Amino acid sequence: MKKRLSLRCVLASALAATMAGLPGNFASAADGAKKLLIIGDKPDGHPKTMHEFMAGANVLTALLKNIDGLEVAMVNGKEPWPDGPERIRRADGVVIFVSQGAKWAQSDARRYEALAQLAARGGGISALHWGIGAVEGKDIEGDQNRIGGIHGGSDRKHIELEAKLIPVENHPITRGVRPFEIKDEFYYQLKFAQDGKLTPIVQAELDGARETVSWAWERPDGGRSFGFGMLHFHANWNNAAYRRIVAQGVLWTMKLDEPSHEVDVSVDDNVLELR
């Protein structure tokens, strides 16, 4: 006797087949490559050139598209995003470059469950700039265990200035990066996870103290998370050190970090140009 499939299984299979053929989706689930989903967002009211999430997601996609063993898909996660949970479930890792990432992650129970499942199976999780937090404290509760560091609540700190950035030595994410200066909006005095192994990746002198503004977290579940609290200005993608830290940070979360050399972060000028 043939086993009857439930309606839910039939619909899930149909959705997966349909999604595989759409732009911005993974071409195959069986080619052996790890699947990375880069999630951008619509503009959030900042002036043009700031919080350009989709343009930044496009740059990162260009940087990673030719990495051996990696398949990259870029999507706009603006609300509503009904197929988002299924996209996340098909991925081995995500990059979250959206407005108020902590609020965004928890605004849909199915989405938050999919992210929790990704973490539980050791998936890679990266969050960039406003993707690492939220305005209100209630929105950051429960999200620290996803990326390791969080920016939000009534005591959140942020400042816009030119600062010297100091990368940690002898880490795959900072391979090929030396101290440099750049103007950005920095989130600092962040709230960090106490479990697992959290390593400061980039620090900056802010308010007279050295603050961690980027980090790598080896989670207790065996997965890896990377946070980068900068990239307020789209123009900062022009800085090769920024591109290198972000690209190598994401690859580190996917456990595809190169053992002996830095990643090629050259990219065409037209990719960097904000249209």
Side-chain angles (χ1 to χ4, degrees), residues 24 42 46 58 104 109 161 168 183 213 219 237 250 254 264:
K42 64 182 179 181
H46 280 74
N58 187 55
W104 171 89
L161 49 67
V168 66
K183 181 180 179 180
V213 292
R219 304 190 309 264
W237 285 107
V250 173
M254 302 296 288
D264 180 7

Side-chain angles (χ1 to χ4, degrees), residues 75 123 137-138 179 265:
V75 296
K138 67 179 180 63
V265 294

Side-chain angles (χ1 to χ4, degrees), residues 89-141:
R89 289 190 185 95
R90 297 180 68 231
D92 300 301
V94 296
V95 177
I96 299 171
F97 194 24
V98 304
S99 184
Q100 298 198 67
K103 179 179 180 180
W104 171 89
Q106 298 176 85
S107 62
D108 182 327
R110 293 172 55 248
R111 179 186 307 159
Y112 194 65
E113 179 185 7
L115 289 167
Q117 291 172 349
L118 173 65
R121 63 178 188 265
I125 300 175
S126 300
L128 311 179
H129 198 52
W130 211 187
I132 72 169
V135 172
E136 297 186 23
K138 67 179 180 63
D139 291 324
I140 65 173
E141 294 178 7

Side-chain angles (χ1 to χ4, degrees), residues 4 18 48 53 98 108-109 141 153 166 196 207 209 216 224 231 268:
R4 296 180 64 185
T18 300
K48 190 174 177 62
F53 302 116
V98 304
D108 182 327
E141 294 178 7
I166 305 167
D207 274 354
R224 296 175 174 181
L231 280 173
D268 291 342

Side-chain angles (χ1 to χ4, degrees), residues 82-244:
D83 61 348
E86 179 61 27
R87 291 177 187 257
I88 293 169
R89 289 190 185 95
R90 297 180 68 231
D92 300 301
V94 296
V95 177
I96 299 171
F97 194 24
V98 304
S99 184
Q100 298 198 67
K103 179 179 180 180
W104 171 89
Q106 298 176 85
S107 62
D108 182 327
R110 293 172 55 248
R111 179 186 307 159
Y112 194 65
E113 179 185 7
L115 289 167
Q117 291 172 349
L118 173 65
R121 63 178 188 265
I125 300 175
S126 300
L128 311 179
H129 198 52
W130 211 187
I132 72 169
V135 172
E136 297 186 23
K138 67 179 180 63
D139 291 324
I140 65 173
E141 294 178 7
D143 210 50
Q144 189 181 67
N145 62 354
R146 179 173 58 88
I147 55 175
I150 205 78
H151 166 73
S154 59
D155 59 347
R156 67 190 182 101
K157 300 284 188 180
H158 54 99
I159 188 171
E160 185 179 311
L161 49 67
E162 184 167 343
K164 182 177 182 180
L165 301 189
I166 305 167
V168 66
E169 297 180 356
N170 302 318
H171 195 284
I173 295 177
T174 57
R175 191 178 289 122
V177 181
R178 297 179 179 178
F180 63 101
E181 293 187 359
I182 199 163
K183 181 180 179 180
D184 210 325
E185 179 187 52
F186 298 92
Y187 299 152
Y188 65 108
Q189 292 186 15
L190 306 175
K191 303 171 179 69
F192 290 108
Q194 300 302 309
D195 299 329
K197 179 183 177 183
L198 194 143
T199 302
I201 291 299
V202 178
Q203 295 186 316
E205 291 288 339
L206 305 172
D207 274 354
R210 182 174 288 194
E211 298 283 349
T212 296
V213 292
S214 178
W215 65 91
W217 184 36
E218 297 178 59
R219 304 190 309 264
D221 56 30
R224 296 175 174 181
S225 294
F226 167 67
F228 190 85
M230 297 159 281
L231 280 173
H232 177 72
F233 300 108
H234 180 76
N236 285 350
W237 285 107
N238 287 288
N239 187 294
Y242 257 40
R243 299 198 304 272
R244 182 172 305 287

Side-chain angles (χ1 to χ4, degrees), residues 246-259:
V246 175
Q248 293 179 170
V250 173
L251 291 175
W252 179 83
T253 71
M254 302 296 288
K255 301 181 181 178
L256 290 173
D257 42 306
E258 294 289 339

